Amino acid sequence: NPLAQASAAFIPVGRLSRQGAPVTVRSLMPPVTSPPANGKRAPVILVSGTSAEAGKSTFASKLIKALAKTGKRVGAVKATGTGGCLDTREYLAAGATAAFDQVDGGLPTTYTAPAVYAEAAAAPFGLCDAAGVDIIVAELGGDVIWANNATLLAGAEGTTGEVMGRVAAIFLIANDSLAALGAHRWLEGVMGEERTARLLVHVCCPFRNHTGALRRSETLGLP
């Protein structure tokens, strides 16, 4: 295997350090002023889902496009997951003024310890604020229970409270009505019933039968 032979030629000889500390993606990030120099923190709309490939990026891009058409300067964030350059490119193509992901906050992935994620959670949002946006659309990667989405939604650690304190709505895209019901109950456990009732908006997956999903949701008593 030529690829295996090529990889075998690389021998690690050490790791980069600066002033005695290891160099990481996080250590290379410039500090984010909080609050921003203009004193303005934009409200946040979160887009979440009950699974990967539920249509979150599609929905977020359409939301960005609609908001931009009203004349708003829209910031976009891929808040959780691994990588996100394809998503941020899609947001910019939809009309976002600025777009950042968790890598811009210093984390290659948010599949890490909750305390590590919580320390960096607000950084991409701060970068959007510094760009002078009016509103931020932020997508939560994967399904709502992984990638430290629960850490962010609970708003109890590190900088997560600063983010959740300005969330105006949380869209939840579900593949089916039972998934929506399960996610709703789970979110009540994470965020509390009052906050869930105030912020959560259920959205049918764009790739499903909307009429049938509406009937099933009504049967289950979903709002």
Side-chain angles (χ1 to χ4, degrees):
N1 187 326
L3 183 59
Q5 292 174 359
S7 64
F10 292 93
I11 302 173
V13 295
R15 61 188 302 181
L16 293 175
S17 65
R18 182 169 57 184
Q19 296 179 341
V23 173
T24 64
V25 174
R26 178 70 171 153
S27 70
L28 296 174
M29 293 300 106
V32 177
T33 303
S34 183
N38 60 14
K40 179 182 176 183
R41 284 195 176 103
V44 173
I45 297 174
L46 295 180
V47 177
S48 63
T50 57
S51 73
E53 311 303 328
K56 299 184 297 296
S57 297
T58 299
F59 182 86
S61 295
K62 289 183 180 296
L63 182 57
I64 290 166
K65 187 174 183 178
L67 290 168
K69 280 186 175 180
T70 69
K72 293 187 181 299
R73 291 172 56 84
V74 185
V77 171
K78 181 66 179 290
T80 54
T82 301
C85 63
L86 294 180
D87 298 293
T88 53
R89 288 174 62 183
E90 186 175 344
Y91 304 152
L92 291 169
T97 300
F100 302 98
D101 62 16
Q102 71 279 356
V103 179
D104 294 301
L107 296 177
T109 178
T110 65
Y111 288 92
T112 184
V116 173
Y117 166 68
E119 180 186 356
F125 297 89
L127 291 169
C128 280
D129 290 331
V133 303
D134 301 309
I135 190 167
I136 299 171
V137 175
E139 179 185 344
L140 305 184
D143 59 60
V144 75
I145 67 172
W146 295 111
N148 268 306
N149 288 324
T151 304
L152 176 62
L153 293 166
E157 291 189 59
T159 63
T160 59
E162 187 273 311
V163 176
M164 291 304 298
R166 50 175 161 154
V167 170
I170 303 171
F171 287 98
L172 175 69
I173 303 173
N175 285 311
D176 59 74
S177 300
L178 282 175
L181 179 63
H184 190 110
R185 298 291 178 256
W186 181 84
L187 286 167
E188 287 180 333
V190 172
M191 301 194 301
E193 293 184 10
E194 185 278 329
R195 179 182 275 186
T196 301
R198 175 166 48 87
L199 297 178
L200 191 62
V201 179
H202 287 278
V203 179
C204 178
C205 172
F207 316 123
R208 296 294 185 268
N209 181 334
H210 292 186
T211 303
L214 179 61
R215 288 199 301 267
R216 289 176 174 82
S217 297
E218 290 173 345
T219 298
L220 293 171
L222 283 168

